[in-house]
Amino acid sequence: MEKRRTVPVKLDVDSDDAALLENTIDEFLWAADYVTRHAFEGEYVTTSKTTLHDDTYGDVRDKTALHSNHVQAARNKAAEACKSVVEKWKQGKRASMPNFTSPHLVYDHRTATFHDDYVSLATVDGRIEADYVLPDEKRDTPHAEYFFSDEYETTGAELHYSNGNWMLHIHCKTDVESNTSEQATENRTVLGVDLGVNNLAIASTGTFWTGDEFDHWRREYEKRRGDFQECGTRWAHENIQAVGRKEEGRFKITLHRISNELVAEARENECSVIAFEDLTDIRERTGASWGHKWAFNRLYEYVEYKTAEYGIDVEQVDPENTSRRCSHCGFTHPDNRDGEAFECLKCGYENHADYNAAKNIGLRYLRRNQTGSGGGAPVGVRLNSGTLNANGGFESPADDESARAGVHAESPRL
């Protein structure tokens, strides 16, 4: 079977080349949006890559300066996004036509050439070369283990631009025997993560990331914008835009910190999967603002790309009733939850409601993927005092001192 890994590598890009990459990304995103709009034009949403290729390839080639493989990659992005929307409709969920805004660009072996110290990338106006910015010591890094290893083949990459940095997420793969001991130990533990308004993120290990600072600055920036809007002048309009940039910058710093700590939490507890609730309709479920929804999506994106170098998968699960279901006995009732307090009406289990939801999210992923026959299936949701399996069984850590005490710590009773 194939074993795949993604290694993020920072690039050193000069200003002229950066402008070319930005233009290429703009045209790539435009192409993906163009194909998506075409897919939604008919009575039914078109998800076939072949049909979309036949209908849109010529138009996109005429209207952009993209390499032919970039056109095909944009079409694939659009087709996959449309297929995801259709799947959500089939499940009775609401979903709208996708729109591509995150600055990224897909590369394959025709549009990118990977060298030892640099990469050559196709743009809308020829190729540019960018040096890798690598760790001082290559030993014991994902770069040495996967990217520079003779055992792994480089299959492509995805270029991302964020916070002034160009990051190339390089995809590598190798073939492994299906009965290797490495595979048997992979995907052993899942970390469940609940998202909310009062607490931005809550892990099944009992770690909370409060939303107090986020809410404070959101209100502060809203007040500043309101003050400028009352002026109605061009100067005020320019200052409103400046406030927006400062707000986004501050929130990105906060979300980067939380995402770093979430990834560290997963690594510390030897988790190979981080499970989030499905972010679709999260505003309706949680009463979150547009700002919170933006933060949830951005946090998920940050965790997703930061875990790539450690081989940790990031998934989303159906959030239905995760806040009402008892993680101890499974009894589900709206009255189990009262604000931030959870008390099961059936078995009496009590804990913080968001922590209970985080455990349920982990359990839902576990049950969805459990094979029941060894192999590589996840075997437990990581708590702060052991693991919980799909059948509700609790296993204490081998070292009792590793169980962290605290207000959300669990006893073996669960």
Side-chain angles (χ1 to χ4, degrees), residues 38 48-59 75:
H38 177 83
S48 167
K49 292 180 182 179
T50 301
T51 302
L52 290 173
H53 174 85
D54 293 341
D55 292 349
T56 65
Y57 180 80
D59 289 344
R75 175 210 64 209

Side-chain angles (χ1 to χ4, degrees), residues 247-258:
E247 179 181 29
E248 183 175 353
R250 178 180 288 275
F251 290 161
K252 282 182 177 179
I253 291 173
T254 300
L255 295 172
H256 270 298
R257 174 181 58 79
I258 295 175

Side-chain angles (χ1 to χ4, degrees), residues 200-378:
L200 284 180
I202 309 92
S204 58
T205 50
T207 302
F208 280 55
W209 288 271
T210 179
D212 291 347
E213 180 182 2
F214 181 90
D215 287 337
H216 166 75
W217 284 107
R218 184 170 60 85
R219 290 192 296 268
E220 176 67 22
Y221 285 120
E222 284 179 355
K223 181 180 181 300
R224 294 181 187 179
R225 277 193 293 268
D227 292 341
F228 285 125
Q229 284 173 345
E230 291 181 0
C231 297
T233 63
R234 180 176 179 179
W235 170 86
H237 176 72
E238 291 174 350
N239 276 277
I240 289 173
Q241 292 180 318
V243 168
R245 289 192 294 270
K246 289 180 181 179
E247 179 181 29
E248 183 175 353
R250 178 180 288 275
F251 290 161
K252 282 182 177 179
I253 291 173
T254 300
L255 295 172
H256 270 298
R257 174 181 58 79
I258 295 175
S259 62
N260 287 336
E261 293 173 2
L262 257 173
V263 174
E265 187 85 359
R267 295 185 65 205
E268 178 183 340
N269 289 281
E270 299 181 345
C271 298
S272 57
V273 180
I274 301 177
F276 285 82
E277 59 184 302
D278 191 323
L279 301 182
T280 306
D281 300 328
I282 194 168
R283 289 189 68 211
E284 290 76 3
R285 296 196 310 271
T286 65
S289 66
W290 277 111
H292 281 100
K293 186 178 188 302
W294 173 86
F296 298 152
N297 282 298
R298 189 56 62 96
L299 179 62
Y300 180 85
E301 292 173 2
Y302 288 169
V303 172
E304 188 175 34
Y305 87 74
K306 290 179 180 181
T307 54
E309 66 176 292
Y310 305 113
I312 300 174
D313 294 326
V314 182
E315 302 286 348
Q316 294 185 23
V317 301
D318 185 352
E320 184 178 7
N321 289 325
T322 51
S323 64
R324 301 174 176 180
R325 177 186 175 91
C326 176
S327 59
H328 174 52
C329 73
F331 178 71
T332 304
H333 195 281
D335 293 340
N336 280 349
R337 176 167 188 165
D338 182 13
E340 294 188 343
F342 184 93
E343 181 177 0
C344 180
L345 299 178
K346 182 177 181 180
C347 72
Y349 171 74
E350 298 181 50
N351 216 308
H352 194 287
D354 293 336
Y355 174 54
N356 177 74
K359 290 167 59 183
N360 279 325
I361 289 169
L363 284 169
R364 185 154 294 174
Y365 176 84
L366 199 66
R367 292 176 180 128
R368 189 182 76 183
N369 293 273
Q370 194 78 15
T371 63
S373 59

Side-chain angles (χ1 to χ4, degrees), residues 145-195:
E145 187 175 357
Y146 307 123
F147 184 37
F148 293 115
S149 170
D150 293 335
E151 297 179 4
Y152 280 81
E153 172 191 357
T154 301
T155 60
E158 191 163 300
L159 181 68
H160 291 260
Y161 182 71
S162 178
N163 297 321
N165 294 318
W166 292 97
M167 298 295 298
L168 191 64
H169 295 191
I170 302 174
H171 307 311
C172 309
K173 73 173 184 178
T174 189
D175 291 325
V176 296
E177 296 294 332
S178 60
N179 60 349
T180 59
S181 59
E182 181 178 359
Q183 183 193 355
T185 57
E186 282 193 85
N187 297 332
R188 302 301 291 173
T189 312
V190 58
L191 180 72
V193 180
D194 182 54
L195 301 174

